[in-house]
Amino acid sequence: MKLLFAPTSPFVRKVMACAHLTGQVEQIELLDSAAHPVRRDPRIAAHNPLAKVPTLILADGQALYDSRVICEYLASRAGSTSIFPTAGPARWTALTRQALGDGLLDAALLARYELTARPTEVQWPTWREALLTKVSACLASIDAIAPELSTEQPTIGEITIGCGLGYLDFRFPEFDWRAGHANAARWNEAFQRLPAMQATRPYET
């Protein structure tokens, strides 16, 4: 398998964490790419019309995207039912928590792009503040459920939330998300120590 990736992408981190947890990381070749919200990278666009990472290219040439699909594919390929519970309340809880983590990431990424990808003269501070309000609301929800989150057998929900909180540390150090979210902070401290999370920490290029 080949993965079009970016070393700073939290969605790539999510995929690679699943690869580590399912013992498949050595079976994935990482391919350089330059995903950008405005400038399309033809190396990605050749396999994914959205030109976004992560994009996984299988041995037969089929491309899988986005992170939700790739993570479930890796779990299915490994026969893992702990990351994606197969049925019942546990499945819907895991998927809803994945949506919570993805929603935090979507809002945080757009807030970052407002400053880094949009020219200064057309930036919209009110829009960015609204996105950060979503981030704050997600943090409140994560804090409320943190006592229920696992570090021993994480589902896709915990993995995604962990990647979301890690992204805030990486790109929004001034946000001080731990203030007022003691439950989430305690869980995150333990979760980020997992080998799969340590091995996938984002880094600058």
Side-chain angles (χ1 to χ4, degrees), residues 168-192:
L168 292 182
D169 285 339
F170 180 56
R171 290 302 198 194
F172 293 84
E174 75 287 356
F175 200 67
D176 191 20
W177 66 265
R178 288 171 178 79
H181 304 103
N183 293 331
R186 277 192 298 272
W187 172 80
N188 183 65
E189 183 178 359
F191 191 76
Q192 298 295 336

Side-chain angles (χ1 to χ4, degrees), residues 32-94:
D32 286 335
S33 65
H36 190 273
V38 178
R39 299 185 298 272
R40 288 172 64 84
D41 185 337
R43 293 171 295 182
I44 311 171
H47 302 279
N48 179 348
L50 300 172
K52 295 171 68 175
V53 294
T55 296
L56 184 70
I57 306 167
L58 305 184
D60 63 2
Q62 181 183 1
L64 300 181
Y65 48 85
D66 56 8
S67 66
R68 290 166 291 191
V69 176
I70 299 171
C71 288
E72 189 153 8
Y73 172 78
L74 291 175
S76 174
R77 188 172 186 266
S80 170
T81 58
S82 59
I83 294 177
F84 283 88
T86 56
R91 178 171 176 80
W92 306 123
T93 297

Side-chain angles (χ1 to χ4, degrees), residues 153-164:
Q153 278 199 315
T155 69
I156 193 61
E158 281 92 357
I159 294 165
T160 310
I161 288 171
C163 289

